[in-house]
């Protein structure tokens, strides 16, 4: 009851040591493991932490949505969509995002990191399937995040304004095993600003970045996500608007070209006309030329001439710096 068994040598060495074939070694090991498992199953299992955390699920949503977009794998997309739908349905109640869910019960109000991670996750999911519902939810959550967690001095507090008063309202800026809520919030503001043409959000991000510039320079390993956000802020943001049927061949061909290469600091929005209510501002006032799917490649909402062929899109992307 005090020893945890660990493998010390491989199957080949075991076979040589005991004069057995590899098949015999593997068969005996399988039998021994089955005996151990059978005995262990008679013991009381340790408690399992099975609550759903908004923060961790938001981070996972980003990763799975990006995988769905890059690999074009419907399995990943389905997981991401189900995850986002669950979070928005069960953890976003009455204009308040909650911290955790378990067996139908939600916990206290969420923290800054919950809001910021979910905004980024929804943003990445919109980039994968272009369902306007995800973008609209991300937009509303961004507004709530600023209202409830914003610090007039710059950056964000970790706890909401209506939380029980503390001696000091916490404001963590250093990345740890997971990114800090402030770093994620800055990244969320920058990405949403690239879609919404909301310059105020970009200014809020810049003000927060200025608070940590010195720390990030001196201790870069503790501010990795901040440096990523700073790169996004300092680099030209590439904005691509596609006007056309999402399921049409033309749109799919254009998206295939865009997703074929790694394009950092690039955002993409897709919609047919007329634009739905609440569509990203990036899509506004972009007509479809000649009745064909049309692509606008922009920087800072200043667009090049629209293109309607894959060849022309490749040239337009190659000229973007």
């Amino acid at each position: 009851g005090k020893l945890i068994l660990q493998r010390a040598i491989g199957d080949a060495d075991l076979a040589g040591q005991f004069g057995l074939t590899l098949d015999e070694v593997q068969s005996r090991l399988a039998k021994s493991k089955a005996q151990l498992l059978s005995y262990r199953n008679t013991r009381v299992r340790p408690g399992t932490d099975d609550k759903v955390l908004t923060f961790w699920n938001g981070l996972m949503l980003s990763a799975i949505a990006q995988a769905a977009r890059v690999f074009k794998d419907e399995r990943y997309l389905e997981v991401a969509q189900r995850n986002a739908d669950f979070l928005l349905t069960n953890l976003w109640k009455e204009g308040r995002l909650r911290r955790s869910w378990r067996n139908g019960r939600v916990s206290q109000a969420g923290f800054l990191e919950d809001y910021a991670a979910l905004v980024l996750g929804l943003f990445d999911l919109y980039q994968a399937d272009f369902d306007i519902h995800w973008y609209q939810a991300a937009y509303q959550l961004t507004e709530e995040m600023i209202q409830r967690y914003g610090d007039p001095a710059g950056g964000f507090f970790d706890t909401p304004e209506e939380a029980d008063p503390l001696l000091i309202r916490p404001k963590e800026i250093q990345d740890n095993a997971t990114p800090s809520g402030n770093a994620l919030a800055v990244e969320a503001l920058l990405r949403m600003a690239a879609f919404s043409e909301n310059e105020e959000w970009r200014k809020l991000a810049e003000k927060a970045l200025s608070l940590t510039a010195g720390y990030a320079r001196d201790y870069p390993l503790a501010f990795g996500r901040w440096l990523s956000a700073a790169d996004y802020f300092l680099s030209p943001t590439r904005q691509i608007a596609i006007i056309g049927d999402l399921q049409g061949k033309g749109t799919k061909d254009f998206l295939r070209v865009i997703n074929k290469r790694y394009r950092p600091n690039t955002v993409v929005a897709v919609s047919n006309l007329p634009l739905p209510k609440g569509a990203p501002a990036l899509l506004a006032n972009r007509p479809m030329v000649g009745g064909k799917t049309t692509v606008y490649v922009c920087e800072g909402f200043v667009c090049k001439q629209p293109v309607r062929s894959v060849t022309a899109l490749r040239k337009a992307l190659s000229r973007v710096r």
Side-chain angles (χ1 to χ4, degrees), residues 19-306:
L20 302 171
T21 66
L22 280 176
D23 287 342
E24 289 173 326
V25 167
Q26 293 167 358
S27 176
R28 292 193 183 191
L29 285 174
K31 182 179 179 181
S32 297
K33 288 179 180 179
Q35 290 175 323
L36 286 171
L37 179 60
S38 177
Y39 183 78
R40 190 176 68 181
N41 285 338
T42 64
R43 301 169 61 184
V44 177
R45 285 183 172 271
T48 301
D49 184 353
D50 57 358
K51 62 180 177 289
V52 175
L53 293 177
T54 303
F55 176 37
W56 291 4
N57 275 266
L59 296 177
M60 188 215 71
L61 177 58
S62 282
I64 298 298
Q66 290 180 45
R69 176 176 59 82
V70 173
F71 299 130
K72 288 299 176 186
D73 193 318
E74 289 296 324
R75 296 172 303 170
Y76 293 148
L77 184 59
E78 181 183 355
V79 169
Q81 291 168 335
R82 286 169 51 203
N83 177 257
D85 184 65
F86 180 91
L87 294 173
L88 294 178
T89 301
N90 294 282
L91 285 143
W92 194 21
K93 301 286 188 180
E94 301 173 352
R96 295 287 187 272
L97 190 62
R98 304 305 179 96
R99 176 68 172 175
S100 65
W101 175 98
R102 184 177 185 274
N103 292 336
R105 299 180 62 182
V106 293
S107 69
Q108 77 277 16
F111 297 118
L112 171 65
E113 61 187 14
D114 298 304
Y115 269 88
L118 184 52
V119 168
L120 289 171
L122 292 169
F123 184 92
D124 284 324
L125 181 53
Y126 173 77
Q127 300 276 280
D129 69 1
F130 302 103
D131 183 338
I132 192 66
H133 172 64
W134 311 128
Y135 170 73
Q136 291 170 340
Y139 192 99
Q140 188 173 341
L141 286 166
T142 302
E143 290 185 319
E144 290 179 16
M145 179 179 72
I146 295 170
Q147 177 184 347
R148 301 178 63 211
Y149 299 85
D151 180 359
F156 296 84
F157 293 110
D158 294 326
T159 56
E161 60 181 354
E162 73 275 9
D164 293 337
L166 303 172
L167 186 61
I168 298 177
R169 194 175 177 190
K171 184 180 180 181
E172 179 61 60
I173 61 172
Q174 180 176 320
D175 293 336
N176 292 293
T178 55
S180 74
N182 266 274
L184 292 174
V186 168
E187 187 176 331
L189 287 173
L190 292 173
R191 291 182 182 274
M192 292 300 293
F195 257 22
S196 64
E197 206 172 6
N198 190 326
E199 187 61 26
E200 184 61 30
W201 289 359
R202 184 173 173 83
K203 290 179 180 178
L204 288 174
E206 180 180 13
K207 191 173 183 178
L209 282 168
S210 68
L211 298 177
T212 60
Y215 298 116
R217 180 194 62 232
D218 296 338
Y219 310 102
L221 294 180
F223 292 85
R225 197 63 180 247
W226 282 99
L227 291 171
S228 177
D231 176 77
Y232 194 99
F233 176 78
L234 295 171
S235 303
T237 301
R238 302 169 181 86
Q239 299 153 310
I240 302 175
I242 302 178
I243 306 299
D245 181 10
L246 179 59
Q247 302 304 322
K249 182 179 183 302
T251 301
K252 290 181 178 180
D253 289 343
F254 288 134
L255 288 173
R256 193 174 298 112
V257 170
I258 294 168
N259 293 328
K260 189 174 183 179
R261 293 181 55 188
Y262 173 58
R263 303 183 189 279
N265 304 341
T266 298
V267 298
V268 183
V270 179
S271 180
N272 211 340
L273 296 177
L275 295 179
K277 184 179 180 180
L282 172 58
L283 295 166
N285 302 315
R286 312 277 189 234
M288 186 182 293
V289 180
K292 293 181 62 177
T293 300
T294 306
V295 184
Y296 295 82
V297 180
C298 319
E299 285 187 10
F301 286 87
V302 177
C303 301
K304 302 179 183 297
Q305 289 295 319

